[in-house]
Each structure stands twice: as structure tokens, then as C-alpha cells.
Amino acid sequence: MKKKLLSIISASILSLIPLSSSALELQEQLTPELIKTLGIDPNKITLIDFFASWCVSCRIELPQISELIPQLDNNQFEVIGINVDEELSEGQEYIDSFAQKGGLNFRVVMDPEQQMIEIFEPLGMPALYYIKNGKIEIMHLGAMPNIDDVIVSDISKLGYQP
Amino acid sequence: MIRIAIMSSVLSLTACGHYQYLEQSNQSSQENNRYSQSNVLFTGDKPQVKKADQKNTVLKTKDEFKLTSLKQTTPELKTIAPIKTKHIETNNKESFWYQLVEIFTPEKVKPWQKSKLAKATMKPGGLTPGSEKFNQKIYSSKESSRGGLGVAGGGCGCN
């Protein structure tokens, strides 16, 4: 009897909880406002990289991405980094820490209010989204070894011509 | 022969019964005056009454009779008001139920909100490296395994 009562109560409570699943998935179109805010060029393959100072994997991946960019054609491919540190100073210090290794060779958008990442809602960090014609074509969530090789193979799939 | 005799006796009995029934029906027609006042008679369990002087009678089925008689006897019918069901609005943030659920629902920490959890002060051992080493030593000796001590040890690769 108690078990039944508990199950009824739990079911009623669970039914009241509003479910929200608005994460951007593959093949989903970005809104024109988002494209405008991030300054995404529709003629290019754009890589959006969400990173933070507390993310160890990001610390490994970011220099690799930064070294790769000068080797690629800027007219075909672009990287936009989005720093999601809640404190702006922490994010700025983190970006400045790469200065000794040559700095970051891509544009970084600071998102202390975490407005951008709440639109994408990735399940892990770092999160990479490939955008082509305003649509999410490929995404990688979490740490990936040899990210530079992964990026080269991904953009070749999306029509990048070396 | 016996069968025929039995059948004939049964038929005669039923005929007698029917005759008696018709006689009773004439008597019962007086009882049905209240029905005849409304010029409505019914067909069904009770016998049909057809008389020459009742030209205006209209034969109707029992159900129809019930409806018409009900309408006539109780002209002011009280209709039952529809039961209003309360819809619990969970999406409306200003509603009481939403706020109640919000109080009892633990807020989920999303992957990009782990900056504070990733700090060294949030570790069980705190900032003291000795206590952390001590805990790891006990854990590895008991479980014969290491790792999984970080905040986001679920495979996302953060800290």
C-alpha cells in the first residue's frame, strides 16, 4: 500500500515538472539573430568552439586549433571561440595565458552571462559545432585527441578545398 | 394425441388469460386518464387503448412518452452545471504550481556551469594536498583502482 502511494505521489510530482529540451542538434538551423550576433559568414565553414578556463581538455585543444588556423584558407574556414567563464576577468586571464605560446589566432566571443551556450546546450565541454549555410553539420562534444587532424578531415567532408 | 390435447389446453388457457387481460385493460383505461389528458398514450408493457372517442390520441413509444410527460409535469427543469476541471498550469512561471515545483525541484548543474565545482576548494579534501593524498591512498588500497575523483568524471573530459 505504501509503495503504491509513494509511486502515485512520485508520478504526480514528476508529471508537474516541466520538461525543456531545446538543445540545438545536428541539421538544425541557427536563427538569423544568432548568426548576426556571432558574425557568422554564410559563405564560410564556421567552427564554433565553446571553452572555459576550468576545462582541462580545452587547455590542450585550444593551442592545437590555434596552430592549425594559419595553415588553412581564411576565405573558406573560420573559427569562433566562445569563452563561457562566468567571471569576465578569469576568461580574459585565461586567453592572455596563451600569449606565451603565440596567442589565439581566432576570434573569441566572451559570454559571461552564458547566453550563447544556453542556446546550444552541449552535453559536454569542449563543444565544437561546424556551421555551414547557417546549419549545424557536425558536432563534437567532449575531449578529442589530435583535434587538428579531426578538424581537417571534418572540413574536407564539408567541401573545403585545400 | 396426448401432445395435441396438452397444446389445445394451453392455447385455451392463454386465450382466457388474454380475454381477462383485455377486460382489465378497459378498467385500467380509467387510470390512464391522466395520460389521456395530455393526449398521449404509450405502447409497451401497458395495453394500447383505442377508442372511437379518443381520436386525438397520438401513440408514441414509452421513451417518447416519458420525455413529453416530464416536460409537461416539470416545465422548469434544472440543468446540471458542467463540472469545471482545474488545469494545473506548469508552464506559466507566475502560477502557484510552477513556483511550488520550482521550490522542490533541485536545479540541474549543466556542463558549462561547473566552474565553481571545478575549483580546488570544492574537493572533499579541500585545499590541503596531504588530506587528498591520504584519501586517495585509502581509496586505491580498498578499491584497487584510481581515478574518477574529478568533478566532471563522466567522460566529458573536463578536469
Side-chain angles (χ1 to χ4, degrees):
Chain A
M1 187 67 188
K2 279 183 180 179
K3 281 181 182 177
K4 276 185 182 178
L5 196 68
L6 278 170
S7 63
I8 289 162
I9 290 163
S10 60
S12 59
I13 290 166
L14 282 169
S15 65
L16 289 170
I17 296 167
L19 298 170
S20 62
S21 58
S22 58
L24 284 175
E25 299 292 340
L26 281 172
Q27 300 298 318
E28 271 195 59
Q29 196 82 25
L30 301 187
T31 58
E33 293 153 7
L34 191 61
I35 291 168
K36 193 181 173 183
T37 310
L38 289 173
I40 295 169
D41 192 344
N43 300 317
K44 291 181 185 177
I45 301 160
T46 310
L47 173 64
I48 296 173
D49 183 5
F50 288 99
F51 66 92
S53 63
W54 48 267
C55 173
V56 174
S57 305
C58 304
R59 206 170 294 153
I60 297 161
E61 283 185 5
L62 282 172
Q64 291 177 3
I65 296 168
S66 188
E67 283 174 17
L68 178 70
I69 285 168
Q71 299 168 24
L72 300 170
D73 186 9
N74 290 330
N75 296 321
Q76 293 184 64
F77 180 63
E78 187 191 13
V79 176
I80 300 168
I82 300 177
N83 180 266
V84 295
D85 275 307
E86 288 176 47
E87 288 182 23
L88 200 63
S89 58
E90 276 186 11
Q92 193 61 51
E93 281 175 22
Y94 180 65
I95 292 160
D96 292 339
S97 67
F98 291 103
Q100 293 174 353
K101 297 173 184 175
L104 296 176
N105 294 322
F106 51 86
R107 188 156 53 93
V108 175
V109 176
M110 304 300 281
D111 186 19
E113 298 293 326
Q114 300 183 332
Q115 291 174 351
M116 291 292 161
I117 199 160
E118 281 180 359
I119 296 166
F120 283 85
E121 283 194 5
L123 292 171
M125 292 274 286
L128 304 178
Y129 291 88
Y130 292 83
I131 313 294
K132 192 182 177 186
N133 299 323
K135 198 188 280 185
I136 299 168
E137 296 289 345
I138 301 168
M139 63 179 182
H140 295 298
L141 306 175
M144 293 200 75
N146 303 321
I147 193 69
D148 44 356
D149 295 336
V150 173
I151 289 170
V152 170
S153 67
D154 284 339
I155 59 174
S156 63
K157 285 175 194 170
L158 295 173
Y160 178 84
Q161 292 174 347
Chain B
M1 283 298 285
I2 296 163
R3 281 184 185 176
I4 292 162
I6 290 164
M7 287 291 283
S8 61
S9 62
V10 167
L11 282 168
S12 62
L13 282 169
T14 49
C16 286
H18 184 64
Y19 179 73
Q20 284 177 357
Y21 185 69
L22 283 172
E23 277 186 349
Q24 284 175 1
S25 69
N26 287 328
Q27 288 173 2
S28 65
S29 64
Q30 289 176 356
E31 293 173 6
N32 290 330
N33 280 336
R34 58 195 179 98
Y35 303 137
S36 62
Q37 283 173 4
S38 62
N39 293 333
V40 175
L41 295 173
F42 61 89
T43 59
D45 297 334
K46 289 200 173 183
Q48 296 174 12
V49 179
K50 275 189 177 181
K51 285 182 180 178
D53 57 339
Q54 291 180 343
K55 286 179 183 176
N56 295 326
T57 54
V58 182
L59 292 172
K60 289 188 176 182
T61 59
K62 194 177 180 181
D63 293 332
E64 281 175 343
F65 166 72
K66 276 183 179 175
L67 286 169
T68 50
S69 65
L70 191 67
K71 278 175 189 172
Q72 284 171 3
T73 51
T74 56
E76 291 177 3
L77 283 170
K78 287 183 180 179
T79 53
I80 300 162
I83 301 159
K84 288 178 182 177
T85 53
K86 283 185 179 180
H87 175 68
I88 299 167
E89 292 180 355
T90 52
N91 292 326
N92 186 11
K93 290 185 178 179
E94 292 176 0
S95 71
F96 170 74
W97 289 108
Y98 186 89
Q99 288 176 4
L100 188 74
V101 169
E102 279 285 301
I103 290 164
F104 292 105
T105 309
E107 197 174 343
K108 288 179 184 173
V109 179
K110 289 167 183 171
W112 57 92
Q113 294 174 334
K114 291 181 178 177
S115 60
K116 286 187 176 69
L117 290 172
K119 285 179 181 175
T121 49
M122 297 299 284
K123 287 180 183 176
L127 288 169
T128 317
S131 62
E132 192 181 348
K133 278 186 181 178
F134 182 67
N135 285 333
Q136 283 182 17
K137 173 80 175 168
I138 294 166
Y139 183 82
S140 58
S141 64
K142 283 192 171 182
E143 301 289 333
S144 301
S145 64
R146 288 176 63 86
L149 299 165
V151 175
C156 83
C158 305
N159 271 7

